[in-house]
């Protein structure tokens, strides 16, 4: 058993007969009244996100997880296939368990959190950023740069990303996997 002082991003807890991963949290100490922790929890079974407030000192039931390095192999419908880079065992995960499946490129290494009690995968942590090649982008129009103008572009995984006007087909761009936004040209 842990308390609210142990809450951090990525912590997996048992809550309302389900397993949740803490996405965001904020310790609040109001001037009047007791302190509390405002959290955003993501269900690891169905992917739903909910907001919850824990009072300070509240006991939470943590889930012991083990993180292993896996490589993304391929997708087949809503099923994504991964291989453990140490043991070469393959696992199949549902699309709902992934945070940004449209940004996964074959051969990308990800960290998979596995519940040590049941040996079932709980969540997939993608790298902070990923480099992808632009496969389609409309040409930028000259004189359209008075503000930070962007245009939609398709990348090699099929995802659509808003990019600055100077990005062309064939360019490699770095994308933030948490937000799915353009970071820089590589």
């Amino acid at each position: 058993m842990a308390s609210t002082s142990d809450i951090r991003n990525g912590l997996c807890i048992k809550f309302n007969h389900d397993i949740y991963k803490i996405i965001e949290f904020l310790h609040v100490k109001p001037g009047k009244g007791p302190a509390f922790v405002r959290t955003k929890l993501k269900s690891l079974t169905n992917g739903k996100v909910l907001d919850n407030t824990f009072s300070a000192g509240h006991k939470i039931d943590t889930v012991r997880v083990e993180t292993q390095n896996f490589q993304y192999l391929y997708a087949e419908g809503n099923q994504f296939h991964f291989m453990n880079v140490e043991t070469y065992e393959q696992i199949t995960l549902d699309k709902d368990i992934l945070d940004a499946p449209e940004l996964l490129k074959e051969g990308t290494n990800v960290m998979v959190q596995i519940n040590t009690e049941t040996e079932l995968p709980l969540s997939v942590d993608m790298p902070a950023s990923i480099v992808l090649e632009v496969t389609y982008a409309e040409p930028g129009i000259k004189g359209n740069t008075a503000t930070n103008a962007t245009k939609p572009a398709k990348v090699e995984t099929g995802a659509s990303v808003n990019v600055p006007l100077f990005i062309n087909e064939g360019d490699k761009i770095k994308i933030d996997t948490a937000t799915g936004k353009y970071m820089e040209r590589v």
Side-chain angles (χ1 to χ4, degrees):
M1 288 294 258
S3 69
T4 53
S5 61
D6 300 319
I7 288 179
R8 65 185 185 284
N9 286 341
L11 180 70
C12 294
I13 63 172
K14 287 182 184 171
F15 180 70
N16 283 352
H17 309 294
D18 199 359
I19 297 176
Y20 288 88
K21 181 179 180 180
I22 296 175
I23 300 172
E24 294 177 15
F25 72 98
L26 178 67
H27 286 279
V28 180
K29 286 185 175 183
K32 189 175 185 180
F36 58 90
V37 180
R38 193 174 290 136
T39 60
K40 190 175 277 191
L41 306 170
K42 180 180 181 183
S43 172
L44 297 179
T45 54
N46 57 23
K48 291 183 181 175
V49 177
L50 65 98
D51 293 320
N52 189 51
T53 302
F54 295 104
S55 58
H58 182 83
K59 298 289 183 207
I60 53 175
D61 194 11
T62 59
V63 177
R64 244 188 74 168
V65 295
E66 185 179 286
T67 304
Q68 295 181 359
N69 197 6
F70 278 78
Q71 183 180 35
Y72 170 61
L73 298 176
Y74 62 94
E76 192 173 52
N78 281 346
Q79 301 293 315
F80 286 75
H81 298 270
F82 295 89
M83 177 186 67
N84 188 325
V85 295
E86 294 169 7
T87 63
Y88 303 109
E89 291 180 33
Q90 291 188 16
I91 60 170
T92 303
L93 300 176
D94 199 45
K95 185 178 185 177
D96 298 338
I97 205 170
L98 303 169
D99 291 332
E102 67 279 356
L103 295 177
L104 264 179
K105 179 181 172 184
E106 293 175 359
T108 302
N109 284 347
V110 297
M111 301 304 282
V112 177
Q113 292 183 337
I114 298 174
N115 186 344
T116 56
E117 297 169 10
T118 60
E119 295 296 323
L120 292 174
L122 294 176
S123 69
V124 177
D125 294 331
M126 299 215 4
S129 62
I130 190 164
V131 176
L132 297 172
E133 185 176 336
V134 176
T135 57
Y136 175 76
E138 294 182 10
I141 301 166
K142 189 171 181 155
N144 221 5
T145 57
T147 59
N148 289 342
T150 60
K151 62 183 179 182
K154 281 242 188 278
V155 292
E156 59 187 295
T157 61
S160 183
V161 179
N162 283 334
V163 297
L165 296 176
F166 60 84
I167 300 293
N168 298 314
E169 287 182 28
D171 288 349
K172 291 190 183 284
I173 58 172
K174 186 185 279 190
I175 301 170
D176 183 6
T177 56
T179 61
K181 293 186 178 180
Y182 166 85
M183 290 173 70
E184 64 183 354
R185 182 167 50 178
V186 178

